[in-house]
């Protein structure tokens, strides 16, 4: 079987390091290079002490020309991730992107590029399989519970709020839930923001604290009962099974996919 040639962007980040280890430890995966802001020309072994001679590139064009990868794994930031994803598609490289915070316009542009190039691209707000199941179960529950609030909890270094997972959950719920503005009709916030963000009448609350990794609870309420669906990631290795699933799928897929739930049977 032909090896899948992979470039990882952001290898010094906590998620990036996990992705590098995933590639190095997976049979039929080959780490052919990494993208970083510094250490141009060095290997990962030289710069980071990692067990890999993959070369570090600061220029994405030079990286793709030199390494000719099949897949780009990008776990950086929305701005950098968007630039990397567009460039990857231009070079015939299939992106797997775990960066959250893309706008609807960004997603529409990437989907259009996939149609034009015939390449697969997977954007996943969350790569933890359990988190994806939490979203799917919440969508199922929303058919029977019209009142719902989402509480997402992350480490205090996370840049976007609400999280991409929370937004994606709300979007999925909205496809089956009748639009309803929740709470008392005369409800008033005595401190602005107390009720959180609002999406289609639902409320989303963001918690940022050191010690957290990635957690989300979806609470449903009805007469005489509540239902809570919760997922917790306690380390970043929890996301790698989803990254592997996305890499294996994007090689065979020729279209744009937003959300891991679309490739989980």
């Amino acid at each position: 079987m032909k090896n899948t040639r992979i470039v990882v962007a952001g290898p010094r980040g906590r998620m990036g390091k996990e992705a590098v280890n995933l590639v190095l430890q997976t049979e039929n995966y080959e780490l052919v290079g990494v993208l970083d802001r510094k250490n141009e020309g060095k290997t990962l072994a030289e710069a980071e002490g990692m067990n890999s001679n993959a070369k570090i590139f600061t220029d994405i064009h030079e990286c793709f020309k030199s390494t000719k990868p099949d897949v780009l794994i990008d776990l950086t930031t929305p701005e950098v991730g968007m630039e990397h994803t567009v460039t990857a598609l231009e070079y015939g490289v299939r992106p797997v992107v775990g960066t959250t915070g893309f706008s609807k316009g960004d997603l529409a542009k990437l989907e259009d590029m996939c149609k034009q190039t015939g390449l697969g691209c997977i954007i996943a707000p969350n790569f933890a399989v359990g988190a994806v199941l939490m979203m799917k179960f919440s969508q199922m529950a929303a058919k029977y519970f019209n009142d719902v609030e989402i509480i997402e909890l992350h480490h205090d270094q996370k840049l976007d709020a609400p999280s991409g997972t929370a937004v994606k959950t709300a979007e999925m719920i909205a496809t089956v839930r009748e639009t309803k503005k929740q709470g008392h009709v005369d409800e008033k916030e005595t401190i602005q923001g107390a009720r959180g963000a609002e999406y289609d009448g639902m409320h989303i609350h963001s918690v940022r604290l050191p010690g957290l990794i990635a957690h989300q609870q979806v609470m449903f309420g009805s007469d005489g009962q509540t239902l809570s669906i919760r997922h917790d990631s306690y380390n970043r290795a929890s996301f790698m099974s989803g990254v592997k699933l996305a890499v294996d799928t994007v090689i065979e897929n020729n279209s744009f996919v937003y959300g891991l739930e679309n490739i989980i049977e």
Side-chain angles (χ1 to χ4, degrees):
M1 181 183 294
K2 176 181 176 292
N3 283 351
T4 300
R5 297 171 60 82
I6 298 174
V7 165
V8 174
R12 287 182 294 112
R14 286 169 290 188
M15 281 285 284
K17 286 180 180 178
E18 292 289 350
V20 167
N21 288 328
L22 170 72
V23 176
L24 294 177
Q25 295 167 10
T26 302
E27 187 177 0
N28 298 321
Y29 282 9
E30 181 180 357
L31 185 67
V32 295
V34 296
L35 280 167
D36 203 353
R37 291 183 290 104
K38 62 180 185 179
N39 297 317
E40 168 71 29
K42 292 184 178 180
T43 66
L44 276 177
E46 292 169 337
E48 296 296 321
M50 303 181 77
N51 186 28
S52 172
N53 289 319
K55 186 177 176 181
I56 300 172
F57 295 85
T58 56
D59 186 289
I60 190 171
H61 300 279
E62 183 60 33
C63 178
F64 289 159
K65 290 175 183 176
S66 298
T67 63
K68 296 179 171 54
D70 303 304
V71 174
L72 167 70
I73 298 175
D74 188 283
L75 303 165
T76 57
T77 65
E79 296 77 17
V80 175
M82 182 63 181
E83 178 185 347
H84 285 176
T85 305
V86 168
T87 306
L89 291 171
E90 290 173 345
Y91 276 86
V93 180
R94 296 167 184 262
V96 168
V97 185
T99 305
T100 61
F102 285 166
S103 69
K104 290 184 178 180
D106 291 336
L107 297 175
K109 178 179 179 178
L110 295 175
E111 183 173 13
D112 186 58
M113 288 189 70
C114 288
K115 290 177 181 177
Q116 293 179 18
T117 61
L119 293 170
C121 171
I122 297 177
I123 310 289
N126 197 317
F127 276 118
V129 172
V132 176
L133 292 174
M134 174 266 297
M135 290 188 278
K136 291 175 72 74
F137 296 158
S138 297
Q139 186 181 40
M140 293 169 60
K143 294 179 181 179
Y144 308 97
F145 290 84
N146 204 35
D147 289 87
V148 53
E149 303 218 358
I150 300 169
I151 304 98
E152 56 94 351
L153 308 92
H154 284 80
H155 55 88
D156 60 346
Q157 299 303 302
K158 185 169 177 60
L159 298 177
D160 55 322
S163 69
T165 299
V167 174
K168 181 64 174 176
T169 304
E171 290 172 348
M172 291 173 64
I173 288 174
T175 64
V176 299
R177 171 184 173 273
E178 182 178 346
T179 299
K180 176 186 178 181
K181 184 172 176 59
Q182 295 176 187
H184 194 282
V185 63
D186 294 324
E187 179 181 77
K188 179 181 179 181
E189 290 182 328
T190 56
I191 299 178
Q192 187 175 0
R195 293 289 286 122
E198 185 175 320
Y199 184 96
D200 201 41
M202 296 175 274
H203 290 273
I204 304 175
H205 310 270
S206 296
V207 176
R208 298 291 178 266
L209 287 172
L212 296 171
I213 298 294
H215 318 261
Q216 181 167 294
Q217 181 170 337
V218 185
M219 296 184 64
F220 297 90
S222 184
D223 288 340
Q225 62 177 322
T226 61
L227 171 66
S228 294
I229 302 172
R230 181 177 176 115
H231 176 264
D232 299 274
S233 283
Y234 297 107
N235 59 52
R236 289 168 179 81
S238 64
F239 302 110
M240 291 305 110
S241 60
V243 173
K244 184 178 185 303
L245 174 63
V247 170
D248 293 342
T249 301
V250 82
I251 286 294
E252 306 295 334
N253 187 47
N254 296 319
S255 60
F256 178 81
V257 176
Y258 176 56
L260 211 62
E261 74 279 359
N262 295 302
I263 62 175
I264 290 181
E265 295 181 0

